[in-house]
Amino acid sequence: MILFIVLAKTCVSDYINGGDEYKISELEQMISENTVVTASLSNEYTESTVASVVKLYRFDYRFNLNDQSYTGKITLNAVPNTNKLNIYYLSDDPSIIAADPYEAIAREKEKGSSISELLIGIVWGVVAIILFISLIATIKSTKTPKSPTSGETKTVPKSIKTRTKKKAAAPVPEITPEEERLRALEKERIRREKEVPSRFMPK
């Protein structure tokens, strides 16, 4: 995502600001002075693709000039048939080189006039936004709490049961046989009094 943001910014800036005039002047100086040297390329290179169409090949190079060795990296549009390559260098600073200064000048001058740079920048920007939204959605999905139906078990609180204790009945006092006999006599006496009302009349 960061790479796409950088590419988008670079393309849009190139369209707005145009080509680098200082770099163009250096390339023109190389051509006018015809400062060319044969450099040795590394056997290995790095391949990259720009805008899903253009392939670029990055080599390490090395050359000697005025008893001094210069090394660096150079990007080519194709893999050369040999590891020897004639390159242009800036006489004031041989570490500044160009494989094809004519093409480099045309590319710099096109930056401010061609809308293709702007369109490519917009495409990279859209890709960066899509990736950013996808990243945010992924982060949110990992932080979303599980729903109740996701397999989690919940402990249902047990209902509290209450029990009412009944008071024990008061103990009935035991009746002795003698008391039982006296109660029976008393009941018999009361019954007879009710049956003979004349006993209350005067004699």
Side-chain angles (χ1 to χ4, degrees):
M1 183 179 67
I2 296 175
L3 175 62
F4 292 135
I5 292 174
V6 172
L7 290 173
K9 183 178 181 299
T10 302
C11 292
V12 174
S13 298
D14 288 344
Y15 178 78
I16 295 174
N17 300 326
D20 188 342
E21 295 295 334
Y22 185 74
K23 185 175 182 179
I24 292 174
S25 65
E26 289 180 340
L27 294 169
E28 290 176 343
Q29 181 180 343
M30 294 179 189
I31 295 172
S32 62
E33 293 180 354
N34 196 29
T35 48
V36 181
V37 65
T38 301
S40 299
L41 301 179
S42 59
N43 294 326
E44 297 180 353
Y45 59 87
T46 302
E47 180 179 341
S48 60
T49 304
V50 179
S52 302
V53 177
V54 181
K55 288 188 176 182
L56 300 176
Y57 306 90
R58 192 172 181 83
F59 290 84
D60 292 327
Y61 72 85
R62 179 187 184 90
F63 66 86
N64 295 320
L65 185 66
N66 299 328
D67 297 329
Q68 189 172 352
S69 179
Y70 295 91
T71 60
K73 295 183 180 296
I74 186 170
T75 302
L76 305 176
N77 296 329
V79 178
N81 296 326
T82 175
N83 64 341
K84 298 294 182 180
L85 180 69
N86 291 332
I87 59 175
Y88 287 78
Y89 66 90
L90 189 65
S91 59
D92 299 336
D93 184 0
S95 62
I96 300 175
I97 56 99
D100 187 348
Y102 297 95
E103 181 184 0
I105 289 174
R107 194 164 54 244
E108 284 295 322
K109 290 183 177 180
E110 186 183 6
K111 287 181 178 179
S113 58
S114 175
I115 198 173
S116 60
E117 290 286 340
L118 179 61
L119 295 177
I120 293 173
I122 292 173
V123 170
W124 290 138
V126 171
V127 172
I129 292 172
I130 293 173
L131 290 176
F132 179 75
I133 294 173
S134 176
L135 177 63
I136 295 298
T138 302
I139 294 174
K140 286 185 176 180
S141 64
T142 56
K143 291 184 178 180
T144 302
K146 294 182 178 179
S147 61
T149 59
S150 61
E152 294 183 354
T153 57
K154 293 185 178 180
T155 303
V156 179
K158 295 181 179 179
S159 59
I160 301 174
K161 295 182 179 181
T162 58
R163 180 184 298 175
T164 305
K165 292 184 178 181
K166 295 182 179 180
K167 293 184 178 180
V172 179
E174 294 183 0
I175 302 174
T176 62
E178 182 63 24
E179 290 177 343
E180 183 68 27
R181 188 180 66 82
L182 293 175
R183 285 185 181 184
L185 292 175
E186 181 65 22
K187 288 181 180 180
E188 182 64 21
R189 185 184 64 81
I190 294 171
R191 185 182 66 78
R192 288 179 178 180
E193 288 179 353
K194 290 181 179 181
E195 290 179 353
V196 187
S198 60
R199 64 189 293 267
F200 294 102
M201 296 177 63
K203 293 180 179 180

